Amino acid sequence: QSGQEVMQAKGQGLMCLVLNCSTPPLDNVKVRQALNYAVDKDAIIKVLLGGIGEPISGPLTYAHEGYDEKLTQPYPYNPDKAKQLLAEAGFPNGFDLKFDTPSGRYLQDKEIAQAIAGQWQKIGVNAQVNPMEWGNFLKEAQAKTWQTFLITQGSGGTQVLLSTCFSSKVKGIPWLHYNNPKVDQMIEDAGKMMDTPRRVQTYRDVVNTIRDEAPWVFLHQLTDIYGVGPKVQDWKPGGGIVLLRGTGVKS
């Protein structure tokens, strides 16, 4: 209709693959890094998301305390580097991998998983994509038995996100056997810190370690899309929850 427009804002969620850090070959950090380098995130955003979205720089979004806007994307698309890392890890011919994904829960979730599997094929990784209904997906995620699965994260504060995803003392649903006592301690310490600059720096230290150790394949930040009617004036989307207040005047 006349006067309507579509507006975009960075969302407070990000899409990732969680890798099982306890089972071969994913217990090798070079393999996990190779899987990151082998994903063409820009192509996925362009082809499957209509160009809406951007590759993420780590496990936090712009809305989280400790987010560092100066961080670059940790693993740009580089299949040659991925092949080199696989060879160094002892898998020059690749390996088989079971890849679980929800189907219909997130925008283009199954299609994104299939695209990633196709990109991994180029470095010799044969990923079997297993789409699942959301309820069954959650039950399986709680069992902590998967090799890798696709999910979105980002809701809640930094302490909640880092604890549930990366602390072996918490073991939330998105946690899949990543175990680094130093990271556990930093997350626990940050949660008790009243000194904001010190807490933010501790979160950034955790983020830098996570980027290096790659317990996730870092994909893209989600974008919120809003249809704005002509009666909505002087509003710009900021992502997350939208609160609307009426004028009290009936038309």
Side-chain angles (χ1 to χ4, degrees):
Q1 297 179 9
S2 177
Q4 289 187 337
E5 60 178 323
V6 175
M7 302 183 75
Q8 302 176 16
K10 287 184 179 181
Q12 294 185 11
L14 46 82
M15 184 163 276
C16 63
L17 306 183
V18 182
L19 303 176
N20 190 329
C21 297
S22 70
T23 60
L26 301 180
D27 57 346
N28 189 311
V29 66
K30 290 186 177 181
V31 170
R32 301 196 300 269
Q33 291 173 340
L35 292 177
N36 271 276
Y37 279 119
V39 175
D40 189 344
K41 293 166 278 290
D42 289 322
I44 289 172
I45 291 167
K46 180 179 179 180
V47 175
L48 294 178
L49 300 176
I52 299 173
E54 59 185 66
I56 55 178
S57 62
L60 300 181
T61 74
Y62 77 100
H64 287 97
E65 183 181 51
Y67 176 76
D68 186 349
E69 64 279 355
K70 295 187 294 293
L71 287 182
T72 58
Q73 179 185 329
Y75 297 96
Y77 182 51
N78 190 337
D80 291 336
K81 177 71 171 178
K83 290 178 183 177
Q84 175 192 333
L85 286 166
L86 284 186
E88 291 175 3
F91 299 94
N93 300 315
F95 54 89
D96 294 337
L97 186 66
K98 191 166 180 287
F99 183 174
D100 295 274
T101 176
S103 179
R105 174 69 177 183
Y106 311 121
L107 180 64
Q108 298 286 73
D109 46 12
K110 180 178 71 173
E111 290 78 9
I112 289 171
Q114 291 169 336
I116 291 170
Q119 293 169 357
W120 280 346
Q121 195 74 53
K122 297 176 182 177
I123 64 167
V125 174
N126 180 33
Q128 174 194 343
V129 177
N130 178 35
M132 303 182 71
E133 182 272 334
W134 180 244
N136 292 332
F137 180 92
L138 284 181
K139 290 178 184 176
E140 292 293 329
Q142 289 172 327
K144 313 294 185 195
T145 57
W146 283 345
Q147 284 191 288
T148 184
F149 63 85
L150 181 146
I151 198 168
T152 67
Q153 287 298 294
S155 61
T158 302
Q159 185 66 24
V160 171
L161 188 152
L162 294 180
S163 296
T164 58
C165 293
F166 305 112
S167 173
S168 66
K169 296 182 179 181
V170 177
K171 298 183 175 66
I173 283 180
W175 179 87
L176 201 56
H177 301 286
Y178 175 66
N179 189 341
N180 183 329
K182 181 181 176 182
V183 167
D184 288 350
Q185 192 61 54
M186 283 193 292
I187 293 172
E188 185 176 332
D189 290 346
K192 300 174 183 176
M193 288 178 184
M194 302 301 290
D195 182 335
T196 298
R198 186 165 164 245
R199 183 174 64 250
V200 166
Q201 186 55 54
T202 303
Y203 285 146
R204 290 183 175 180
D205 291 343
V206 172
V207 165
N208 285 326
T209 303
I210 296 300
R211 283 159 51 97
D212 291 341
E213 297 193 337
W216 284 2
V217 173
F218 304 101
L219 296 177
H220 55 269
Q221 181 164 309
L222 306 180
T223 299
D224 295 334
I225 308 294
Y226 301 92
V228 183
K231 294 182 181 180
V232 178
Q233 299 179 359
D234 299 323
W235 176 77
K236 292 183 180 181
I241 297 173
V242 177
L243 298 177
L244 298 179
R245 183 181 62 190
T247 62
V249 178
K250 295 183 179 180
S251 59

